[in-house]
Amino acid sequence: MAVFKLDNVEDLYEIGSVLGSGHFGQVREVRERATDVLWAGKFLKLKKGAGSRLGLERKSVEKEVEILQSLQHQNIMALKDVFESRAEVVLIVELIKGGELFDFIAEKENLTETEAIEFMKQILEGVRYMHQKTVAHFDLKPENIMLSDKHAPNPDIKIIDFGMAHRFIQGEEYKSLGGTPQYIAPEIINYEPLGTAADMWSIGVITYIFLSGLSPFQGETDEETLRNIVAMKYEFEPHCFSQTSNMAKDFIQKLLVKDQSERMTAEECLIHPWIKPLNRTQIAKRNRSSINMKNFKKFNARRKWKMSFNMVSACNRFCRLQLLCKARGPEQQELRDCESDQEDTGTKPASLLRRRLSSSS
Ligand code: ATP
């Protein structure tokens, strides 16, 4: 079992304002007392006992920490230190000040594909690096792609939230049912053995949304979204993709491939002509094409609305659960909610509403 620092984090860091919240705790700005340097502290609540419904298994936090410790890349959030107490683990990580990439883009009037590609390239470089280290993220989505500093002339992409990540060991078969319906690969839904290719599917979905403001498989309910993914039911709606280059569509088509072994890898993406043009004609095509800004802004506004709606619902569920636990006493319940793309309709397919529940077989 990994041992984290047992010092009281508040002796070494002054705890500041809340930067964000996840399923298992808050992320706060923290100031290192010795140096005055600002960091972010990710406070993760631990399960109180085997029967507890609230909090994370320590094993799961150890996994996130071990993976973050092994990754050092400009486009991946860096881990500095880890503290633990009886009730929680605190990850001291690089402070990422620029907010989410999608929010930054949504503030712009227009964006050419060439400009968009500068961000895509950095995402791919971070992903290529982690895949080379045999780590898959398994939760790539707009919320987990942030910017170092939005006022910098060329802000760095930072990939965050390795709570669902997994390091593959040679010969091991790994299956998982976690993820966010809109972005998950068909092999996750089908509970098949997974590989790093599942992340490449998510990159295909993110690129599709980035260019058109449409989500390729989004249905009325999560079940419908999942059915659309398994059936590979997507198309490039002409009115949303009228400003998109054929190279960009080809890039997406080579990622939204059902067969994992046929899907482009991050390495291959970085040499696809859309990312790395071979001649002047291809450069000109990228410069002439642009992202569908009107639709993108609408998508982002809806996404933010749903996130705040989900947050309120999560708080309500949390309060109800606490009352229930008090009334009933501890229950055996190992499963955890995952993000749903839908409002709290009560129609979520059980198998895909789990986070950090995985199995190796
Ligand atoms: P989830 O339940 O969505 O998986 P989580 O508990 O694993 O979340 P994160 O996704 O890592 O937590 O962080 C929650 C939010 O906190 C992020 O969406 C982001 O807004 C903010 N955040 C996370 N890390 C940082 C950071 N290093 N700097 C600034 N803000 C951050």
Side-chain angles (χ1 to χ4, degrees), residues 17-196:
S17 56
V18 176
L19 298 167
S21 300
H23 285 81
F24 303 104
Q26 286 182 330
V27 177
R28 288 173 167 268
E29 187 172 288
V30 299
R31 187 182 60 80
E32 192 176 5
R33 294 187 194 276
T35 59
D36 256 356
V37 175
L38 295 174
W39 301 89
K42 182 166 171 174
F43 293 75
L44 295 168
K45 294 256 171 289
L46 291 176
K47 261 186 198 296
K48 290 214 179 82
S52 169
R53 295 181 70 164
L54 304 172
L56 269 171
E57 293 274 7
R58 194 176 189 285
K59 252 194 349 244
S60 169
V61 181
E62 281 175 24
K63 188 174 175 185
E64 181 172 351
V65 168
E66 183 273 318
I67 286 175
L68 276 174
Q69 274 169 342
S70 72
L71 301 175
Q72 281 106 38
H73 190 272
Q74 196 175 353
N75 302 120
I76 295 175
M77 179 188 77
L79 174 72
K80 178 184 190 289
D81 227 336
V82 190
F83 294 86
E84 73 173 300
S85 65
R86 208 168 51 83
E88 65 182 2
V89 172
V90 186
L91 275 54
I92 304 292
V93 295
E94 168 185 15
L95 175 64
I96 304 170
K97 292 180 290 190
E100 291 171 18
L101 169 69
F102 269 32
D103 292 340
F104 175 74
I105 301 293
E107 282 169 18
K108 295 191 176 289
E109 284 311 307
N110 46 52
L111 197 76
T112 64
E113 282 188 8
T114 307
E115 292 165 312
I117 286 162
E118 286 311 307
F119 294 112
M120 287 306 305
K121 229 192 265 175
Q122 293 190 55
I123 300 171
L124 288 167
E125 272 159 8
V127 171
R128 172 175 61 179
Y129 170 83
M130 73 173 96
H131 288 181
Q132 277 167 349
K133 297 250 172 187
T134 68
V135 170
H137 185 282
F138 287 132
D139 201 17
L140 289 175
K141 56 181 176 181
E143 292 81 325
N144 289 337
I145 300 173
M146 297 188 72
L147 283 181
S148 55
D149 178 358
K150 64 179 176 181
H151 303 296
N154 300 305
D156 281 338
I157 288 284
K158 298 281 177 184
I159 301 172
I160 67 159
D161 194 2
F162 283 73
M164 301 238 296
H166 180 75
R167 178 188 303 288
F168 287 94
I169 299 161
Q170 223 183 0
E172 169 212 33
E173 190 177 290
Y174 178 75
K175 294 178 177 178
S176 166
L177 279 174
T180 307
Q182 269 188 85
Y183 304 96
I184 52 174
E187 60 267 23
I188 296 181
I189 306 171
N190 291 331
Y191 201 52
E192 289 164 9
L194 303 178
T196 52

